[in-house]
Each structure stands twice: as structure tokens, then as C-alpha cells.
């Protein structure tokens, strides 16, 4: 074990760079999941920084007047479609006294009126009305030089990637194509390109852990067939299947994928038995059709998990297609928003398969129930270990793409981008 001891004194967002981090990408200090000042600095440097944050689906804004109330980090945001057909996004905060403008998560509106003092905003976020602006009987009201145009909520930069709406509060964010890179764009297109999504359902899951622990989990292909017994019991995902890891050039985004490898199926049970992993079970499915599937886009890929930093996931698990939005709500709490998708051209049979397989994921899913618990286990396990660090050495010490999924390369990539954005000083391990 390295003798490196990180600085653990209290810090403020302005002095967060005083933290020291080993130069190696294989060591992650536990204080990064525990410190309130680090969490506060993330709001500024990550979520308000030059990054693209997932907001909603274009399909959720089908008609003029449709809106979605969401978040970038802890910042409330409104996304709308106006009568010009364009999508707009702006802070969900009244310019008067700071109340929320919209209270519902989804809806349809002609305009927005703050419940506190009835200040009104149009679908583009312009302040259009102030109650009693001229006062009553010539008394009171706003001063003659008050300008409504100068008191509109801040607008966001927007990007649309195959129906995924991303936004940024920072004008210096690079164009979305540069931000994602071609390999990530291609894998988003594989699932969503040329298709019209239909929302099958939504829910929000509260996780008892820091948001970064969930993002690590998403990028961790090593755990998938070990933690998730359902995968190996019913042959949905094994590490010996054809597959790989794509890590974006900057390290922040990733794709983990696997495909049917019929020749390897007979050997799979032996690999897991040799490792003494709980991969054998007498359990049977009452309805085996749960794991029946069809080719999603004409290839043999049955699992593709794609992440975009800081907090977006696009999943294909068999025919369960979903987007996940990871939102921090505190140092040790995270909201995970799930949106399940089908497509307009699905047959009734295909839609039924998707509905059945929606049972694979989520807080009670046959596959991903464990993901909702494991982050909490880690958060509790590191409670007295702020001076220690995690080790992510599987597959080497780099953040590069790999033909093997027995690697933690994409986790290392996440931390590479995170460290740079947060301005942590990097020092040689001793």
C-alpha cells in the first residue's frame, strides 16, 4: 500500500485546490465522498462549470407549451417548447424573491406565474408581467426605470443529441460533438438514431450515498456479473462474452458493451465456478419469457451501458431501454431519475417485451436492485477512513478503451476529468 497521506483539513470551495491527490489514477481518496466543502465546490466547478448536463427528452416536450422541471446539480431548471417550435431552458427561479416558477415536474402551460407575487414569464423565460407594477391609484409600484427585460432568469445553452436534451450554465462549454467525441456519439446513435422514443414510465430512486459512488458503479464493468447474480444465473451477461469498454478521449464518458458469444456459453459456468463466485443457482423463472428478447437494432449486442459525465446514463439491457439522470442532493444522498423508453414503431409484442424487462432494473429490479444498495454499503464502510483511499487497478493504470471488460479504465477516466475540473493538486505517491 502506498504511504501517501492526503491532507484532510477542512476546506472551503475557494481553497478546494489545497487538497492533495496522488498522481496515479489508481488511487481515489475517500474524503472526496465525505467532505461538505468538496460537495459545495462541485456545484460550482462541475455542475455550473463547462460541462453538458442531461435535462430531459425531446419527446417529453412534444407540443408547444410542454415543459419539464429538472435540475443541474442542485440548480432548478425549466425546459420548455415554445410556439415557434424551439426548445428553451432557463433557471426555475423567480427574479423577484427567488421562489420556484414551476412547481410540477412535467406539464403544459401557456406561461408561468410565480405563486408568491404573481410575476409572469413566457415560455422562453422572459419576464412579461409584474403584478401591480404601476401601483394602485398612483401610489406604490415599481420605479419608472424598472426594466422587465433586465430581470429574466438566466438562460442555458442547449444541445440536442438524437432527442436527448443537454444544457449548460457555462458559456465556455465546448460544442456537444467535441465534448462527447465521435465514438460516444456513434453509440448514442446506435440506440436512438432515427427512432422516435415513447415514454413507458418514470420513477425517482433515492440513494443513500454520494453521487460519485453511483457514477463509479455505472462505469464499473468488473462488478456487473459478480454483484448481479441474476445476470449469470440466467446467462444475460458474463465477462467472457464478446464485448469491451470504450473510454472517450478525455476520459469522462464511457460505453460498456457485450454481445452474444454462443461458442463461449458452454465455458462460462466453469470460469465463475473456478473463481468461487456465487454464479450457480437452483432458481428458475416462473415465466421464462422474461429473458426472451429481440435484436434491438439488428446486431447481437444485448447490453450497452453508456455514460456522459457528470451524471447521465443511457442503458440497453436486453430490450430494456432507459435513460438515467444522476442528481446530487447532499454529501450522502443522490436522486436517480429513471425514464423507460419504447419506440413509436414497436409492435405490440415488442412493447410487451420491454414492459416485462422493465422489471430487470430500478430499485427492485432483478438485475439492478443491488446497485441501489452497494453505494450505501460503501458510504457506510468508509465512514472512519477519510485518510484512506480506494484502489482501482483492475486492467492497468490508464484510462483507455479495452477489448476486455475486466477493467476499471472508465472509472479512472471519470476521476481524471473530475480532478481536472475541481483543480485538485496532483502529487507523486510516496
Amino acid at each position: 500500500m502506498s504511504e501517501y497521506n492526503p491532507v484532510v483539513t477542512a476546506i472551503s470551495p475557494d481553497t478546494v485546490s489545497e487538497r492533495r491527490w496522488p498522481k496515479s489514477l489508481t488511487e481515489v481518496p475517500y474524503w472526496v465522498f465525505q467532505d461538505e466543502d468538496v460537495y459545495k465546490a462541485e456545484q460550482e466547478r462541475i455542475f455550473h462549470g463547462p460541462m453538458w448536463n442531461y435535462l430531459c427528452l425531446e419527446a417529453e416536450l412534444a407540443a408547444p407549451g410542454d415543459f419539464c422541471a429538472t435540475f443541474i446539480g442542485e440548480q432548478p431548471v425549466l425546459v420548455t417548447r415554445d410556439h415557434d417550435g424551439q426548445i428553451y431552458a432557463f433557471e426555475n427561479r423567480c427574479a423577484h424573491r427567488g421562489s420556484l416558477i414551476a412547481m410540477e415536474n412535467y406539464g403544459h402551460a401557456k406561461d408561468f406565474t410565480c405563486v408568491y407575487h404573481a410575476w409572469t414569464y413566457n415560455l422562453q423565460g422572459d419576464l412579461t408581467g409584474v403584478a401591480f407594477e404601476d401601483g394602485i391609484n398612483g401610489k406604490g409600484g415599481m420605479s419608472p426605470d424598472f426594466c422587465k427585460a433586465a430581470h429574466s432568469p438566466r438562460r442555458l445553452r442547449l444541445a440536442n443529441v438524437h432527442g436527448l436534451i443537454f444544457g449548460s450554465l457555462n458559456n465556455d462549454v465546448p460544442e456537444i460533438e467535441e465534448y462527447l467525441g465521435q465514438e460516444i456519439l456513434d453509440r448514442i446513435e446506435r440506440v436512438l438514431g432515427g427512432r422516435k422514443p415513447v415514454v413507458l414510465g418514470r420513477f425517482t430512486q433515492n440513494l443513500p450515498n454520494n453521487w460519485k459512488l453511483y457514477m463509479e458503479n455505472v462505469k464499473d464493468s468488473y462488478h456487473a456479473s459478480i454483484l448481479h447474480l441474476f445476470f449469470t444465473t440466467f446467462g444475460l451477461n458474463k465477462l467472457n462474452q464478446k464485448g469491451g469498454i470504450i473510454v472517450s478521449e478525455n476520459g469522462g464518458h464511457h460505453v460498456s458493451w457485450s454481445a452474444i458469444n454462443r461458442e463461449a456459453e458452454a465455458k462460462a459456468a466453469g470460469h465463475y465456478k473456478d473463481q468461487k463466485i456465487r454464479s450457480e443457482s437452483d432458481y428458475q423463472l416462473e415465466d421464462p419469457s422474461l429473458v426472451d428478447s429481440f435484436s434491438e437494432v439488428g446486431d447481437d449486442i444485448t447490453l450497452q451501458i453508456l455514460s456522459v459525465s457528470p451524471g447521465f446514463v443511457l442503458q440497453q439491457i436486453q430490450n430494456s431501454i432507459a435513460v438515467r439522470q444522476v442528481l446530487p442532493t447532499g454529501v450522502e444522498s443522490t436522486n436517480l431519475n429513471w425514464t423507460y423508453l419504447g419506440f413509436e414503431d414497436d409492435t405490440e409484442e415488442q412493447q410487451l417485451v420491454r414492459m416485462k424487462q422493465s422489471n430487470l432494473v430500478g430499485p427492485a429490479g432483478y438485475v439492478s436492485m443491488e446497485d441501489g444498495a452497494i453505494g450505501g454499503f460503501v458510504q457506510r464502510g468508509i465512514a472512519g477512513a477519510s485518510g484512506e483511499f480506494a484502489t482501482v487497478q483492475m486492467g492497468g493504470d490508464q484510462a483507455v478503451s479495452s477489448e476486455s471488460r475486466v477493467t476499471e479504465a472508465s472509472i479512472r477516466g471519470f476521476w481524471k476529468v473530475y480532478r481536472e475540473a475541481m483543480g485538485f493538486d496532483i502529487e507523486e505517491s510516496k
Side-chain angles (χ1 to χ4, degrees):
M1 178 182 291
S2 169
E3 296 179 359
Y4 167 81
N5 292 310
V7 178
V8 295
T9 54
I11 55 175
S12 70
D14 292 334
T15 59
V16 69
S17 59
E18 293 178 8
R19 286 291 196 185
R20 298 294 186 267
W21 198 307
K23 184 176 181 180
S24 170
L25 292 175
T26 64
E27 297 173 341
V28 180
Y30 287 136
W31 51 254
V32 79
F33 306 111
Q34 300 170 318
D35 193 286
E36 183 71 37
D37 288 327
V38 169
Y39 178 79
K40 291 177 181 177
E42 288 170 352
Q43 298 301 312
E44 175 188 348
R45 301 188 183 189
I46 301 292
F47 297 102
H48 286 233
M51 294 194 177
W52 286 104
N53 295 265
Y54 171 75
L55 300 177
C56 65
L57 295 162
E58 183 180 15
E60 294 172 304
L61 306 170
D66 288 351
F67 71 87
C68 169
T70 183
F71 292 85
I72 289 182
E74 291 189 344
Q75 170 66 53
V77 170
L78 261 178
V79 193
T80 68
R81 188 184 291 275
D82 198 6
H83 292 280
D84 62 0
Q86 299 300 306
I87 294 175
Y88 297 87
F90 46 93
E91 293 175 324
N92 186 8
R93 185 181 68 244
C94 182
H96 179 215
R97 299 279 290 280
S99 175
L100 292 172
I101 297 171
M103 311 298 288
E104 302 294 328
N105 292 333
Y106 298 92
H108 184 88
K110 181 180 67 174
D111 54 28
F112 300 99
T113 299
C114 176
V115 298
Y116 199 177
H117 297 95
W119 284 33
T120 302
Y121 302 84
N122 65 19
L123 293 169
Q124 297 186 23
D126 301 315
L127 176 62
T128 57
V130 173
F132 301 112
E133 180 178 359
D134 298 325
I136 297 176
N137 297 325
K139 297 179 181 179
M142 305 297 288
S143 64
D145 61 352
F146 176 75
C147 176
K148 288 194 284 291
H151 291 81
S152 297
R154 178 169 48 158
R155 288 194 177 92
L156 281 65
R157 286 188 61 184
L158 291 179
N160 187 333
V161 182
H162 297 294
L164 304 172
I165 306 300
F166 290 87
S168 180
L169 291 159
N170 192 296
N171 289 326
D172 294 329
V173 66
E175 295 298 322
I176 193 72
E177 293 80 8
E178 177 186 349
Y179 184 80
L180 295 175
Q182 193 58 51
E183 287 185 300
I184 303 299
L185 286 167
D186 288 346
R187 287 298 181 134
I188 294 175
E189 182 178 19
R190 176 188 165 270
V191 177
L192 299 177
R195 310 170 85 184
K196 293 185 178 180
V198 175
V199 175
L200 301 180
R202 306 182 184 95
F203 61 82
T204 296
Q205 178 180 2
N206 183 258
L207 305 176
N209 53 263
N210 188 275
W211 68 276
K212 300 183 293 296
L213 285 172
Y214 186 78
M215 287 306 295
E216 275 196 329
N217 177 270
V218 165
K219 294 171 179 287
D220 178 6
S221 57
Y222 175 35
H223 87 277
S225 61
I226 300 173
L227 177 66
H228 303 307
L229 183 59
F230 190 94
F231 266 150
T232 46
T233 298
F234 299 105
L236 299 186
N237 184 21
K238 302 185 183 73
L239 286 171
N240 67 315
Q241 289 176 326
K242 179 181 178 182
I245 299 291
I246 299 170
V247 181
S248 66
E249 186 174 349
N250 72 349
H253 325 304
H254 103 292
V255 179
S256 172
W257 66 277
S258 64
I260 296 171
N261 185 347
R262 304 182 193 286
E263 294 181 0
E265 287 299 304
K267 301 178 182 179
H271 289 305
Y272 285 82
K273 185 176 181 180
D274 292 343
Q275 297 292 322
K276 296 180 170 54
I277 291 172
R278 53 191 185 102
S279 61
E280 296 181 0
S281 173
D282 294 329
Y283 286 109
Q284 302 291 323
L285 289 171
E286 183 70 23
D287 180 6
S289 70
L290 176 68
V291 294
D292 289 345
S293 61
F294 56 91
S295 179
E296 187 62 48
V297 292
D299 58 26
D300 285 336
I301 294 176
T302 56
L303 182 142
Q304 177 180 293
I305 305 296
L306 180 151
S307 71
V308 173
S309 287
F312 170 75
V313 182
L314 171 64
Q315 74 163 53
Q316 175 210 343
I317 300 176
Q318 299 290 95
N319 300 114
S320 176
I321 310 296
V323 295
R324 312 178 201 167
Q325 182 188 34
V326 182
L327 294 174
T329 56
V331 174
E332 297 185 4
S333 64
T334 301
N335 277 348
L336 177 58
N337 294 331
W338 299 74
T339 306
Y340 294 101
L341 302 180
F343 298 94
E344 278 192 356
D345 59 358
D346 283 347
T347 65
E348 289 185 13
E349 291 78 10
Q350 288 172 330
Q351 187 179 66
L352 178 60
V353 169
R354 296 194 195 283
M355 295 299 290
K356 285 184 177 181
Q357 291 184 2
S358 68
N359 292 288
L360 296 177
V361 293
Y366 291 126
V367 172
S368 64
M369 173 179 63
E370 298 92 343
D371 290 329
I374 198 66
F377 296 164
V378 175
Q379 195 78 52
R380 289 156 58 188
I382 66 175
S386 61
E388 302 294 330
F389 53 83
T391 299
V392 285
Q393 299 184 50
M394 188 62 65
D397 60 2
Q398 300 300 306
V400 294
S401 299
S402 170
E403 293 182 359
S404 170
R405 288 177 294 136
V406 190
T407 180
E408 293 168 318
S410 51
I411 299 176
R412 293 189 287 269
F414 172 79
W415 289 115
K416 175 175 179 280
V417 169
Y418 177 87
R419 294 189 326 188
E420 293 169 354
M422 291 290 287
F424 288 123
D425 284 348
I426 308 302
E427 66 178 30
E428 297 283 355
S429 296
K430 298 178 181 178

